């Protein structure tokens, strides 16, 4: 099952979105995510407004049924229902660590409205933060540009232990020569720092013409320094692990929210404890206070504990009186 977890969403062009979805299905991709890109900071107005395509609207597309039948190995007369898995994704590109923490640490209403969460760090500080503490599923990079930081194995390995994945998008390399050169150089550095593990490859396509077939992408990934096995995993098993991580993250947040809400309701339902009266408080003090030893009050003798021998000075005073 092949995936493309970064098809750029454009709300102003519905026809382009439909054409891209049709091309994705024709190329044999079974699951794709429409990515909404947000820059600098996340606000409530950035809530998910992506509407998934209705599978029935794709049934009349010429040649689409034949492509699906061929991919699934079905006979040509078989009535195939075109129903790809569609997801929503948020990608925040920022260099401000406080903006990243506000969006991905805790429960932000806008972030929770998406299926997948990704951060695109544009500074080394945000990269360190993403690897250690941000609650995201994907760490993406704009590899078509010159990055302001280097890939260090330490933070990247820590992110892999947390179950995060790093993303390479190939569509920018199809637009201009400089972007293609930067993409291959940065992808090689990323594969070297991670050992080829924990990497997913997406299109990042803005139009249907920037999409490529899964096996073409696998061949391209070998030029990024990935082995053939790691390149295939970047389109299949690693993407499935990203979806599993997203589901566990959403389930954990729901469990914490449900538990805290239940505890609050229980505290509200508990009756208030009646205040203790003065006599009850006095009785409690008598029960809890430590009993003190009785003392003997004598003007001629210093205060001492009953049952113990008097001090030496008191014995001398008694002898003087007897004389």
């Amino acid at each position: 099952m092949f995936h493309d977890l970064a098809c750029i969403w454009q709300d102003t062009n519905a026809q382009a979105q439909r054409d891209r979805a049709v091309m994705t299905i024709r190329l044999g991709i079974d699951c794709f995510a429409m990515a909404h890109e947000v820059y600098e900071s996340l606000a409530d107005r950035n809530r998910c407004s992506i509407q998934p395509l209705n599978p029935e609207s794709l049934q009349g597309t010429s040649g689409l049924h034949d492509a699906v039948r061929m991919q699934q190995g079905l006979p040509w007369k078989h009535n195939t229902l075109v129903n790809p898995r569609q997801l929503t994704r948020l990608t925040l590109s920022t260099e401000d660590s406080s903006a990243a923490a506000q969006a991905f640490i805790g429960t932000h209403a806008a972030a929770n409205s998406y299926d997948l969460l990704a951060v695109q760090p544009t500074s080394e500080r945000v990269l360190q933060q993403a690897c250690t503490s941000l609650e995201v599923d994907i760490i993406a990079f704009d590899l078509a540009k010159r990055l302001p930081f280097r890939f260090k194995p330490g933070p990247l390995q820590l992110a892999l232990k947390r179950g995060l994945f790093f993303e390479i998008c190939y569509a920018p390399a199809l637009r201009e020569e400089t972007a293609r050169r930067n993409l291959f150089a940065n992808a090689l550095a990323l594969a070297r720092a991670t050992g080829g593990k924990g990497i997913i490859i997406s299109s990042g396509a803005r139009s249907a013409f920037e999409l490529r077939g899964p096996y073409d992408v696998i061949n391209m990934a070998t030029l990024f320094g990935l082995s053939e096995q790691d390149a295939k995993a970047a389109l299949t098993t690693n993407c499935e692990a990203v979806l599993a991580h997203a589901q566990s993250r959403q389930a954990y947040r729901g469990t914490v929210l449900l538990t805290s809400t239940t505890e609050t309701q229980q505290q509200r339902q508990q009756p208030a404890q009646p205040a203790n009266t003065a006599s009850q408080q006095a009785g409690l003090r008598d029960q809890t206070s430590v009993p003190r030893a009785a003392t003997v009050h004598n003007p001629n003798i210093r205060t001492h504990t009953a049952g113990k021998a008097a001090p030496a000075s008191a014995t001398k005073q008694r002898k003087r009186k007897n004389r």
Side-chain angles (χ1 to χ4, degrees), residues 10 34 37 46 67 87-88 92 94 106 115-116 132 140 149 157-158 161 179 186 200 216 232 237 241 263 283-284 319:
Q10 298 173 350
M34 305 302 296
E37 294 182 333
N46 299 126
L87 303 172
T88 60
L92 176 63
T94 182
D115 297 324
L116 301 176
T132 56
F149 49 80
Q157 294 296 330
L158 182 59
K161 292 181 180 179
N186 291 327
I200 65 173
D216 293 335
K232 186 175 182 179
T237 56
E263 292 178 352
L284 290 174
K319 290 181 179 181

Short mmCIF file of all heavy atoms in Angstrom, two decimals, residues 10 34 37 46 67 87-88 92 94 106 115-116 132 140 149 157-158 161 179 186 200 216 232 237 241 263 283-284 319:
data_model
loop_
_atom_site.label_atom_id
_atom_site.label_comp_id
_atom_site.label_asym_id
_atom_site.label_seq_id
_atom_site.Cartn_x
_atom_site.Cartn_y
_atom_site.Cartn_z
N GLN A 10 -4.90 23.60 -1.86
CA GLN A 10 -5.17 24.97 -2.29
C GLN A 10 -6.69 25.17 -2.32
O GLN A 10 -7.37 24.57 -3.16
CB GLN A 10 -4.57 25.24 -3.67
CG GLN A 10 -3.05 25.10 -3.71
CD GLN A 10 -2.48 25.22 -5.10
OE1 GLN A 10 -3.22 25.21 -6.08
NE2 GLN A 10 -1.16 25.32 -5.20
N MET A 34 -4.02 15.68 2.23
CA MET A 34 -4.04 17.05 1.76
C MET A 34 -3.43 17.93 2.85
O MET A 34 -3.95 18.01 3.97
CB MET A 34 -5.47 17.49 1.45
CG MET A 34 -6.19 16.58 0.46
SD MET A 34 -5.33 16.44 -1.12
CE MET A 34 -5.41 18.13 -1.69
N GLU A 37 -0.55 24.34 4.58
CA GLU A 37 0.68 24.96 5.05
C GLU A 37 0.38 26.27 5.77
O GLU A 37 -0.36 27.11 5.26
CB GLU A 37 1.62 25.23 3.86
CG GLU A 37 2.14 23.95 3.20
CD GLU A 37 3.10 24.24 2.07
OE1 GLU A 37 2.99 25.33 1.47
OE2 GLU A 37 3.98 23.40 1.81
N ASN A 46 -6.97 28.97 11.47
CA ASN A 46 -6.33 27.93 10.68
C ASN A 46 -6.92 26.54 10.93
O ASN A 46 -6.29 25.53 10.61
CB ASN A 46 -4.82 27.89 10.97
CG ASN A 46 -4.12 29.19 10.64
OD1 ASN A 46 -3.45 29.77 11.48
ND2 ASN A 46 -4.30 29.66 9.41
N ALA A 67 -7.51 1.90 -14.67
CA ALA A 67 -6.24 1.98 -13.93
C ALA A 67 -6.35 1.26 -12.60
O ALA A 67 -5.43 0.54 -12.20
CB ALA A 67 -5.87 3.46 -13.71
N LEU A 87 -6.75 11.90 3.93
CA LEU A 87 -6.41 12.44 5.25
C LEU A 87 -6.17 13.94 5.14
O LEU A 87 -5.96 14.48 4.05
CB LEU A 87 -5.16 11.74 5.81
CG LEU A 87 -5.22 10.22 5.97
CD1 LEU A 87 -3.86 9.68 6.35
CD2 LEU A 87 -6.27 9.82 6.99
N THR A 88 -6.18 14.59 6.28
CA THR A 88 -5.85 16.02 6.36
C THR A 88 -4.58 16.18 7.17
O THR A 88 -4.31 15.40 8.10
CB THR A 88 -7.00 16.81 6.99
OG1 THR A 88 -7.25 16.31 8.32
CG2 THR A 88 -8.26 16.70 6.16
N LEU A 92 3.31 23.35 9.88
CA LEU A 92 3.68 24.67 10.39
C LEU A 92 5.15 24.92 10.12
O LEU A 92 6.01 24.19 10.61
CB LEU A 92 3.38 24.77 11.89
CG LEU A 92 3.81 26.08 12.57
CD1 LEU A 92 3.04 27.26 11.99
CD2 LEU A 92 3.61 26.00 14.08
N THR A 94 8.10 27.44 10.78
CA THR A 94 8.40 28.54 11.69
C THR A 94 9.84 28.46 12.16
O THR A 94 10.46 27.38 12.15
CB THR A 94 7.45 28.50 12.90
OG1 THR A 94 7.72 29.62 13.76
CG2 THR A 94 7.62 27.23 13.68
N GLY A 106 0.49 20.64 24.19
CA GLY A 106 -0.82 20.88 24.78
C GLY A 106 -1.92 20.59 23.77
O GLY A 106 -1.73 19.85 22.80
N ASP A 115 -5.73 15.39 10.88
CA ASP A 115 -5.35 14.00 11.13
C ASP A 115 -3.86 13.87 11.41
O ASP A 115 -3.46 13.11 12.30
CB ASP A 115 -5.72 13.13 9.91
CG ASP A 115 -7.21 13.09 9.66
OD1 ASP A 115 -7.98 13.08 10.65
OD2 ASP A 115 -7.62 13.09 8.48
N LEU A 116 -3.04 14.59 10.66
CA LEU A 116 -1.59 14.52 10.81
C LEU A 116 -1.04 15.90 11.15
O LEU A 116 -1.56 16.91 10.67
CB LEU A 116 -0.93 14.01 9.51
CG LEU A 116 -1.36 12.64 9.00
CD1 LEU A 116 -0.69 12.33 7.67
CD2 LEU A 116 -1.05 11.55 10.01
N THR A 132 12.82 16.86 20.47
CA THR A 132 12.77 16.53 21.89
C THR A 132 11.38 16.62 22.52
O THR A 132 11.02 15.80 23.35
CB THR A 132 13.72 17.43 22.68
OG1 THR A 132 13.40 18.81 22.43
CG2 THR A 132 15.16 17.17 22.27
N ALA A 140 9.33 17.89 8.78
CA ALA A 140 9.58 18.13 7.35
C ALA A 140 10.67 19.18 7.18
O ALA A 140 10.92 20.00 8.08
CB ALA A 140 8.29 18.58 6.66
N PHE A 149 21.00 25.15 9.11
CA PHE A 149 21.55 24.28 10.14
C PHE A 149 22.05 23.00 9.48
O PHE A 149 21.76 22.73 8.31
CB PHE A 149 20.51 23.95 11.22
CG PHE A 149 19.19 23.49 10.65
CD1 PHE A 149 19.01 22.18 10.21
CD2 PHE A 149 18.13 24.37 10.56
CE1 PHE A 149 17.81 21.76 9.68
CE2 PHE A 149 16.91 23.97 10.03
CZ PHE A 149 16.75 22.65 9.59
N GLN A 157 18.49 11.07 16.10
CA GLN A 157 18.28 9.75 16.69
C GLN A 157 17.31 9.82 17.86
O GLN A 157 16.52 8.89 18.08
CB GLN A 157 19.62 9.15 17.15
CG GLN A 157 20.58 8.83 16.01
CD GLN A 157 20.05 7.75 15.09
OE1 GLN A 157 19.29 6.87 15.51
NE2 GLN A 157 20.46 7.79 13.83
N LEU A 158 17.34 10.91 18.61
CA LEU A 158 16.38 11.08 19.71
C LEU A 158 14.96 11.19 19.17
O LEU A 158 14.02 10.64 19.75
CB LEU A 158 16.74 12.33 20.52
CG LEU A 158 15.87 12.64 21.73
CD1 LEU A 158 15.90 11.49 22.72
CD2 LEU A 158 16.32 13.93 22.40
N LYS A 161 13.70 7.74 18.29
CA LYS A 161 13.28 6.99 19.47
C LYS A 161 11.90 7.41 19.94
O LYS A 161 11.17 6.60 20.53
CB LYS A 161 14.31 7.18 20.60
CG LYS A 161 15.66 6.54 20.33
CD LYS A 161 16.61 6.75 21.49
CE LYS A 161 17.96 6.12 21.22
NZ LYS A 161 18.92 6.35 22.35
N ALA A 179 17.05 24.20 -7.15
CA ALA A 179 16.30 23.45 -6.15
C ALA A 179 16.63 21.96 -6.23
O ALA A 179 16.74 21.28 -5.19
CB ALA A 179 14.80 23.67 -6.36
N ASN A 186 20.97 17.94 0.34
CA ASN A 186 20.38 17.90 1.68
C ASN A 186 19.82 16.51 2.01
O ASN A 186 19.91 16.05 3.15
CB ASN A 186 19.27 18.94 1.80
CG ASN A 186 19.80 20.36 1.77
OD1 ASN A 186 20.90 20.63 2.25
ND2 ASN A 186 19.03 21.28 1.20
N ILE A 200 10.33 9.23 5.36
CA ILE A 200 9.22 9.04 4.43
C ILE A 200 9.43 9.98 3.25
O ILE A 200 10.05 11.04 3.39
CB ILE A 200 7.85 9.30 5.09
CG1 ILE A 200 7.73 10.76 5.51
CG2 ILE A 200 7.64 8.37 6.26
CD1 ILE A 200 6.35 11.14 6.01
N ASP A 216 8.97 4.90 -9.61
CA ASP A 216 9.86 5.98 -10.04
C ASP A 216 10.44 6.71 -8.83
O ASP A 216 11.62 7.11 -8.82
CB ASP A 216 9.11 6.96 -10.94
CG ASP A 216 8.72 6.33 -12.26
OD1 ASP A 216 9.39 5.36 -12.68
OD2 ASP A 216 7.74 6.81 -12.88
N LYS A 232 11.73 1.70 -0.43
CA LYS A 232 10.37 1.19 -0.50
C LYS A 232 9.63 1.40 0.81
O LYS A 232 8.43 1.72 0.83
CB LYS A 232 10.40 -0.30 -0.86
CG LYS A 232 9.01 -0.87 -1.11
CD LYS A 232 9.10 -2.32 -1.58
CE LYS A 232 7.69 -2.86 -1.86
NZ LYS A 232 7.73 -4.28 -2.34
N THR A 237 5.73 1.08 4.68
CA THR A 237 5.65 0.76 6.11
C THR A 237 5.93 1.98 6.99
O THR A 237 5.31 2.12 8.05
CB THR A 237 6.64 -0.36 6.44
OG1 THR A 237 7.97 0.03 6.03
CG2 THR A 237 6.26 -1.64 5.73
N ALA A 241 3.45 3.59 9.82
CA ALA A 241 3.86 3.89 11.19
C ALA A 241 3.51 5.34 11.57
O ALA A 241 3.17 5.62 12.72
CB ALA A 241 5.36 3.64 11.36
N GLU A 263 -12.59 13.60 36.76
CA GLU A 263 -12.17 13.97 38.10
C GLU A 263 -12.80 15.29 38.53
O GLU A 263 -13.21 15.46 39.69
CB GLU A 263 -10.64 14.06 38.15
CG GLU A 263 -9.96 12.72 37.99
CD GLU A 263 -8.46 12.86 37.99
OE1 GLU A 263 -7.99 14.03 37.97
OE2 GLU A 263 -7.76 11.84 38.01
N GLY A 283 -12.21 18.44 71.22
CA GLY A 283 -12.01 17.01 71.42
C GLY A 283 -10.94 16.45 70.52
O GLY A 283 -10.16 15.61 70.92
N LEU A 284 -10.92 16.94 69.30
CA LEU A 284 -9.88 16.48 68.39
C LEU A 284 -8.50 16.88 68.87
O LEU A 284 -7.54 16.12 68.76
CB LEU A 284 -10.14 17.03 66.99
CG LEU A 284 -11.36 16.44 66.26
CD1 LEU A 284 -11.57 17.18 64.94
CD2 LEU A 284 -11.19 14.96 66.02
N LYS A 319 17.79 19.78 103.62
CA LYS A 319 18.69 19.51 104.75
C LYS A 319 18.91 20.73 105.60
O LYS A 319 18.98 20.68 106.80
CB LYS A 319 20.03 18.98 104.21
CG LYS A 319 19.91 17.57 103.62
CD LYS A 319 21.28 17.10 103.13
CE LYS A 319 21.19 15.71 102.56
NZ LYS A 319 22.51 15.22 102.11
#
